[in-house]
Amino acid sequence: MSSPLLFAIAALIWGSTFFAITLQLGEVAPAVSVVYRFGLASATLFAWCLLRGDKLHLPWRAQRWVMLQGFFTFALSYVCTYGSEQYLVSGLVAVLFALMVFWTPICSRIAFGTPISWRTWAAGMIAIVGVTMLFYHSIAGAWKEIVGGGTGHFLLGLVLALVATIASSAGTVVVAKVREQSSNLLLTMAWSMFWGTSMVIVWALATGQPFVLPGAPRYWMALLYLSLFGSVIAFHAYFTLINRIGSQKAVYIGVVTPVISVLLSIQLEHYRPGPVEWLGMAVCLASVAWALRSPGPAAASSSSTTPAPDASLAAIPEVP
């Protein structure tokens, strides 16, 4: 399979996963949907490893880091992502995930002392301006709602989405430690999803979220798509692409996916951005592209980020 085709597969799948999540909202609690999704994805990856003849055992030293990665990447990040999409249009959440290109080097700086270039800082400031433009009218409306005695759910969704992106970035940084312990990416993905799923099960039970089986066909179609395509096939295509062209080029998938997500939101969620919102999206995505072209250590750190949710796992674009 050619590299352009692999790029297109990963970008199209991850660009559509943000909308696919909305098809799971309503009848089933968000955390329970996360359990169903990554429980199925983890089982699929374990089966794939067995078919390849891999041993499923990982030593405890590796499991510690895989568990931490599972907490950030497949537990905290996705619970917040699913929660945020109850209040925000999916395309806007996708744009926020593009900011991982800035959160990841900051997390790497905190964890390992990795230097950050001036261009990354400058691009980050520009991105903040873009995000402010993108959400200005919605935030103003939510604030008026709160002052008037309303709930201001939009602001809650915005905070959850930002927490999700930061958690995904933290999970990406932990991957460096996972790589030191095991080079089997499919196996560490399977275990990471397993631990993340287990943690979300505990959270759902502790908060009294019922485990129900929905009757809507669209829920099951979305579950299969998110588990098999969004969490298995797209990752495999991305890994293959990294081996061929390197992560610094492959990570541009993270710039393409928000564009696809916004277009889907316009078509399927009746999202109608105004001139200020369009300009904000353009400024935000342009700053991400500029940061990804940064030379030196900061660029190396940034290139390990993800488009996702679906993102996700060394150099994995964690996009929903």
Side-chain angles (χ1 to χ4, degrees), residues 6 14 48 186 189 231-241:
L6 290 171
W14 276 325
W48 192 347
L186 289 179
M189 278 177 58
S231 303
V232 176
I233 293 176
F235 279 134
H236 186 265
Y238 185 73
F239 288 146
T240 305
L241 196 62

Side-chain angles (χ1 to χ4, degrees), residues 182-291:
S182 174
S183 60
N184 190 332
L185 292 174
L186 289 179
L187 182 59
T188 54
M189 278 177 58
W191 275 110
S192 184
M193 288 182 185
F194 170 81
W195 288 120
T197 301
S198 301
M199 294 172 191
V200 179
I201 289 175
V202 173
W203 166 255
L205 292 174
T207 54
Q209 301 184 49
F211 283 75
V212 299
L213 295 178
R218 72 174 193 172
Y219 182 96
W220 293 104
M221 292 176 63
L223 175 62
L224 291 174
Y225 182 75
L226 290 167
S227 298
L228 303 181
F229 286 83
S231 303
V232 176
I233 293 176
F235 279 134
H236 186 265
Y238 185 73
F239 288 146
T240 305
L241 196 62
I242 286 177
N243 290 333
R244 291 184 184 179
I245 67 176
S247 61
Q248 290 189 10
K249 293 182 179 179
V251 80
Y252 274 87
I253 293 173
V255 180
V256 177
T257 52
V259 176
I260 297 173
S261 295
V262 169
L263 293 176
L264 285 175
S265 290
I266 291 173
Q267 183 67 28
L268 302 175
E269 296 181 271
H270 308 293
Y271 174 52
R272 295 295 180 265
V276 175
E277 284 80 6
W278 277 116
L279 181 58
M281 280 187 277
V283 170
C284 182
L285 297 178
S287 68
V288 170
W290 185 39

Side-chain angles (χ1 to χ4, degrees), residues 12-176:
L12 288 173
I13 290 177
W14 276 325
S16 60
T17 53
F18 288 92
F19 173 74
I21 288 175
T22 66
L23 302 179
Q24 293 192 291
L25 300 176
E27 190 175 351
V28 180
V32 175
S33 288
V34 173
V35 170
Y36 292 162
R37 172 179 176 177
F38 289 109
L40 177 57
S42 176
T44 302
L45 286 169
F46 277 126
W48 192 347
C49 290
L50 287 174
L51 289 174
R52 297 197 317 172
D54 295 339
K55 294 182 178 180
L56 301 186
H57 173 73
L58 278 178
W60 172 242
R61 180 177 297 179
Q63 287 284 17
R64 291 181 302 174
W65 292 108
V66 171
M67 289 174 67
L68 184 61
Q69 183 188 42
F71 167 72
F72 283 122
T73 304
F74 297 113
L76 180 59
S77 176
Y78 276 92
V79 167
C80 289
T81 298
Y82 275 62
S84 71
E85 291 203 24
Q86 294 181 107
Y87 313 115
L88 300 184
V89 172
S90 63
L92 297 182
V93 179
V95 173
L96 288 177
F97 262 86
L99 297 179
M100 283 183 60
V101 75
F102 308 114
W103 301 144
T104 300
I106 291 174
C107 290
S108 182
R109 172 73 175 181
I110 294 172
F112 306 120
T114 307
I116 304 175
S117 72
W118 69 268
R119 187 182 298 183
T120 299
W121 285 118
M125 295 300 103
I126 296 173
I128 291 174
V129 173
V131 170
T132 301
M133 295 171 66
L134 176 61
F135 290 101
Y136 174 76
H137 289 112
S138 298
I139 292 175
W143 182 252
K144 289 181 180 179
E145 181 183 346
I146 293 174
V147 172
T151 57
H153 281 156
F154 179 88
L155 292 180
L156 174 60
L158 182 59
V159 171
L160 287 173
L162 289 173
V163 171
T165 63
I166 295 172
S168 290
S169 296
T172 301
V173 171
V174 173
V175 167

